Amino acid sequence: MSDRFTPSRRAFLRGAGALAAAGASAPLEAAARSDVVVLTAYPDAVVSRFEAAFEKAWPRYRLRIVWRMPHDALPYLRQPGQGGVDVYWSASPRTFTQLKAAQALRKLPVSLAGLPGRVGNSEIDDPDGYFAASEVAGYGFAVNPAYLARHGLAVPADWSDLAQPAYAGHVLVPDPVEVGFAPVLVDIPLQAYGWDNGWALWSAIAANARFVGRGGSFVSDELGAGRQGVGLSIDFFVASAIANGAPLQFVYPRQGGVNPAHVAVTAASPNPEGAKAFVSFVLSEAGQRILTHPDIRKLPVRPAVYAGLPADHHNPFAVAAQGGYRYDNGRGRGRAAPVAASFGQALVQPRALLAPLWQKLRAADAATWAKVWPLLSAPPCKESEVDDPAVQQAFFTRRDETAAEARAAALEAGWAAAARARHAQAAQLLGVA
């Protein structure tokens, strides 16, 4: 299975007409039950288990599913009457934020007791109470243990392992300019270890890596086929590949990040009591335990659920309590585009030169190292640039505004020129053509 989020073959209902038709043909004994209409992008492995458990816990309700990917969910929920939908439940933080801004959601009518609303430095619930995280996906390393064993490599435990010379040629990194989830992966070490240290770490990792972009094979495909040993990804992509037979494992580094899925009640919900019941169930211990099923493999947001899981099951709350998960997703969202762009100019584009430079540096004497290492490890720009709201806005709107495109392109050109100058100087010192 690739890292594409593909829909299930389940016969999902697709709109008010289908819902009406289904209701008309329902048995008489079911007619007295009240429909709860849920719009989601989750596949059948998730939905079917929640559907069965919810209807058993709440026999007065019958779940009706409308399947929409996030880019289709927003216009669907903005139509008059919001398409008869009671609950939106999906993994698309930006869509929930946009719906809240459009006043398309009502405040959650359920208690969030026992739900901390954050993992480490990452806030996962809406601070105003319009939506709450229902699960989180974790960023980390997909690994092919058999590949690593053939090459005499240990399974990496944290980011610094990927920078070691032994991993040269064995690491796969998604290009953050082209792959939507990858900017977070780039920003995790930058936030966790500091701007300067994070870029130094990334330069060494990039020298060991091959980059994959849009239109190429995805990380789990490449690792599953035995073409690479370690790849950066999100746990649910890898879990899907494993469920389909890929010989992979997933490693959560100590300094990771999370991508929350959310649940919310629509402003126009025709069955607010049913919506309340479903949201309460999803967030309850019973609902959260469903997420740990081997066919689902997601991370619950209720810490109490982890007490009943095997000791090797990843617990992001426990890791955060020990100093992990320093990544701030709120800060990361704003600076994602300029971070990705600077990474592309400083490390992805010059990667063909970067690899031999690091190879020579790793074999150099102490005097040469002292001269060259600062040239290869230097950040492409100041952190204040990517945190500047004006810079962030320029990258966010560059495809729609001529002035924004000009500013973003000028910044990229400056970052690229500075990287070329440093690499040329390093090449001269190391005797690399």
Side-chain angles (χ1 to χ4, degrees):
M1 180 109 178
S2 75
D3 291 3
R4 300 172 183 87
F5 192 85
T6 53
S8 156
R9 294 183 182 274
R10 172 186 172 89
F12 283 104
L13 299 175
R14 295 186 178 273
L19 291 171
S25 61
L28 289 177
E29 61 269 21
R33 298 166 68 194
S34 175
D35 287 345
V36 180
V37 182
V38 176
L39 189 150
T40 187
Y42 281 120
D44 188 47
V46 177
V47 173
S48 61
R49 286 182 171 80
F50 272 91
E51 181 179 30
F54 170 68
E55 291 185 357
K56 183 178 180 180
W58 293 86
R60 77 188 75 169
Y61 298 119
R62 177 176 53 191
L63 213 60
R64 295 300 194 191
I65 303 298
V66 180
W67 187 87
R68 288 290 187 279
M69 289 297 281
H71 63 275
D72 292 324
L74 190 61
Y76 193 93
L77 291 173
R78 280 177 168 172
Q79 66 179 306
Q82 296 186 279
V85 171
D86 296 296
V87 175
Y88 181 45
W89 179 41
S90 202
S92 180
R94 184 176 178 184
T95 303
F96 281 88
T97 300
Q98 290 173 302
L99 289 168
K100 175 188 171 184
Q103 298 183 327
L105 304 176
R106 63 178 67 189
K107 284 202 172 186
L108 284 173
V110 303
S111 170
L112 300 182
L115 300 167
R118 65 188 309 109
V119 176
N121 286 349
S122 286
E123 191 170 61
I124 58 175
D125 287 353
D126 174 45
D128 297 319
Y130 284 89
F131 50 89
S134 57
E135 50 102 346
V136 293
Y139 295 87
F141 313 151
V143 299
N144 183 324
Y147 175 103
L148 294 177
R150 285 198 308 272
H151 291 86
L153 296 170
V155 172
D158 215 341
W159 296 91
S160 58
D161 293 337
L162 303 183
Q164 299 305 311
Y167 286 87
H170 303 295
V171 181
L172 192 65
V173 176
D175 183 345
V177 177
E178 298 190 10
V179 180
F181 66 84
V184 173
L185 286 164
V186 171
D187 203 23
I188 288 170
L190 300 181
Q191 289 196 34
Y193 302 117
W195 188 251
D196 292 343
N197 291 335
W199 277 107
L201 180 62
W202 262 122
S203 182
I205 295 173
N208 289 345
R210 177 166 65 88
F211 291 97
V212 60
R214 183 174 54 244
S217 296
F218 281 71
V219 170
S220 55
D221 297 328
E222 293 291 286
L223 269 66
R227 290 187 286 269
Q228 221 79 30
V230 184
L232 306 188
S233 192
I234 304 180
D235 56 8
F236 67 79
F237 288 141
V238 182
S240 296
I242 292 170
N244 283 274
L248 305 179
Q249 294 178 3
F250 192 83
V251 174
Y252 294 93
R254 186 165 184 265
Q255 294 304 335
V258 294
N259 183 58
H262 293 107
V263 64
V265 178
T266 63
S269 169
N271 186 356
E273 287 303 311
K276 177 181 178 180
F278 182 73
V279 171
S280 295
F281 179 78
V282 168
L283 299 178
S284 70
E285 288 198 29
Q288 291 287 292
R289 277 195 293 270
I290 295 173
L291 297 169
T292 66
H293 189 281
D295 290 343
I296 298 178
R297 305 182 191 219
K298 295 184 181 293
L299 300 177
V301 294
R302 186 174 287 278
V305 172
Y306 290 91
L309 299 179
D312 62 349
H313 194 287
H314 183 68
N315 183 343
F317 298 102
V319 175
Q322 296 168 2
Y325 283 101
R326 296 176 190 159
Y327 177 71
D328 181 341
N329 59 349
R331 184 186 185 195
R333 276 193 294 272
R335 70 190 213 164
V339 163
S342 59
F343 186 94
Q345 297 300 326
L347 298 180
V348 179
Q349 296 302 325
R351 193 268 169 194
L353 176 60
L354 196 63
L357 289 176
W358 269 97
Q359 184 178 18
K360 290 279 286 188
L361 177 61
R362 285 161 172 161
D365 58 36
T368 302
W369 178 279
K371 294 176 183 177
V372 175
W373 186 82
L375 298 171
L376 297 187
S377 64
C381 60
K382 293 181 179 179
E383 189 170 22
S384 58
E385 279 190 278
V386 300
D387 284 332
D388 184 341
V391 170
Q392 294 177 1
Q393 183 67 13
F395 278 91
F396 184 74
T397 60
R398 67 183 302 179
R399 304 306 177 203
D400 303 315
E401 298 177 9
T402 302
E405 170 59 28
R407 180 167 190 190
L411 286 167
E412 287 177 324
W415 297 334
R420 282 196 302 271
R422 287 194 298 269
H423 293 160
Q425 187 178 353
Q428 185 177 21
L429 290 168
L430 291 169
V432 175

